[in-house]
Amino acid sequence: MFVKPKDGRSVHDPARGDLLPAEGRNVDESQYWYRREIDGDIEIVQPSKDADTDKKASAK
């Protein structure tokens, strides 16, 4: 699923050990991310076309 931090929030990504970037990223679906959504720290969104393009380009 694709998540983005809400404006003004810094959200730790436990799988990568860093902060979730402002533009968002794909993460594994888990209780952690659903809890962040309930707490108002993130929003679950559809990835932009640019994110899909970047993913395909990096796979090559």
Side-chain angles (χ1 to χ4, degrees), residues 27-47:
V27 297
D28 292 331
E29 189 174 333
S30 70
Q31 288 285 36
Y32 175 82
W33 293 111
Y34 286 118
R35 184 62 194 195
R36 300 288 66 78
E37 182 185 30
I38 290 168
D39 289 346
D41 294 331
I42 64 159
E43 55 187 333
I44 299 172
V45 297
Q46 294 298 320

Side-chain angles (χ1 to χ4, degrees), residues 1-3 13 15-16 20 25-30 33 42:
M1 75 180 162
F2 195 86
V3 299
D13 182 344
R16 292 196 180 195
L20 188 64
R25 76 166 55 131
N26 281 313
V27 297
D28 292 331
E29 189 174 333
S30 70
W33 293 111
I42 64 159

